[in-house]
Amino acid sequence: MIMSKVAKLTLKLRKEVKVVDVSLGTNLMEAIIDAGVPIGNSCDGEGVCAKCWVNVLEGATNLTKPSKLETDLVIREKIPEGRRISCLVRTKGDV
């Protein structure tokens, strides 16, 4: 069986849904930007500002587990459960 090295990333926006192919291990924030979707950030993806958080509606198990840095940022910035800091997350499958 050949394993796919590509995952589907589904972005549900206010007025549309975009589905893009991303390589496994792709940084989520970079994938969102590459898909032409603007995403807030002021630290250029360095994992400092936490402005690039996203709601993960499906496929959360197909993302890397939260790092200590991400967990600390979520607590510090009071980000609600189920949201991830996209610059600190990589894809492992369809999301």
Side-chain angles (χ1 to χ4, degrees):
M1 181 171 151
I2 298 174
M3 296 294 289
S4 172
K5 295 188 183 217
V6 176
K8 296 276 185 213
L9 176 62
T10 303
L11 303 170
K12 294 183 180 180
L13 310 170
R14 290 184 184 183
K15 296 184 180 182
E16 68 178 305
V17 174
K18 283 189 173 190
V19 179
V20 296
D21 290 332
V22 297
S23 298
L24 295 181
T26 297
N27 175 282
L28 190 56
M29 184 173 124
E30 291 173 8
I32 292 168
I33 291 168
D34 288 348
V37 177
I39 186 162
N41 78 85
S42 62
C43 70
D44 293 324
E46 295 294 322
V48 177
C49 72
K51 291 180 181 178
C52 65
W53 62 263
V54 293
N55 285 322
V56 179
L57 303 176
E58 294 178 26
T61 58
N62 290 330
L63 296 171
T64 52
K65 294 184 190 242
S67 64
K68 180 173 179 357
L69 175 59
E70 183 180 4
T71 301
D72 290 347
L73 276 171
V74 165
I75 292 167
R76 184 186 82 201
E77 298 298 323
K78 298 178 176 76
I79 296 171
E81 187 176 337
R83 296 180 182 172
R84 298 292 305 271
I85 308 222
S86 66
C87 70
L88 298 175
V89 179
R90 294 198 174 270
T91 60
K92 299 189 318 180
D94 295 345
V95 180

